Amino acid sequence: MNFKRITIEEVNRLQESQATNVIDIRDPQAFAAGHMPNAVNINNQNAADYIENTDKEMPLIVVCYHGHSSQPAARYFAAQGFKDVYSMDGGFEVWKLNNPVEV
Ligand SMILES: O=S(=O)([O-])[S-]
């Protein structure tokens, strides 16, 4: 399985139509300063637990700063068995301009 790239508009549409999981791979300080609603901050320490304990049938959206490093991360999660994995183009830096931010 591979991942797909998704625009922020498409993320909004997807989240209107079904439940999704969102993982944010930015550093903890950046995450603490603001993140997408319901996002989980994932790093090398907690990734294995997350993979073990998360429903792999639910769409998984991977978010970073600008939508670049989320692509290899999305590929990794797809390889771990997640069925429907998306890398969000533009990343949190674009998301935060027009979308809800949780702290
Ligand atoms: O590579 S990144 O700046 O999109 S995290």
Side-chain angles (χ1 to χ4, degrees):
M1 285 298 289
N2 214 334
F3 74 97
K4 305 175 206 71
R5 289 171 56 181
I6 191 172
T7 66
I8 287 170
E9 228 172 48
E10 289 167 335
V11 167
N12 277 316
R13 255 182 270 134
L14 182 65
Q15 292 187 323
E16 272 165 30
S17 70
Q18 62 182 301
T20 64
N21 284 314
V22 179
I23 59 174
D24 184 327
I25 61 168
R26 295 175 304 143
D27 66 76
Q29 293 78 6
F31 182 85
H35 50 261
M36 286 169 67
N38 304 313
V40 177
N41 196 200
I42 293 294
N43 52 44
N44 289 338
Q45 280 67 51
N46 65 9
D49 269 3
Y50 186 84
I51 290 162
E52 198 178 314
N53 296 311
T54 304
D55 179 1
K56 297 183 179 59
E57 304 295 326
M58 212 189 264
L60 179 70
I61 300 167
V62 185
V63 178
C64 65
Y65 292 93
H66 301 290
H68 300 127
S69 37
S70 54
Q71 294 181 46
R75 184 173 299 118
Y76 173 77
F77 280 89
Q80 302 308 308
F82 287 83
K83 298 288 179 326
D84 206 10
V85 185
Y86 299 92
S87 169
M88 190 175 84
D89 283 352
F92 184 74
E93 290 300 310
V94 176
W95 169 272
K96 72 179 182 188
L97 302 176
N98 286 305
N99 295 280
V101 170
E102 196 173 271
V103 285

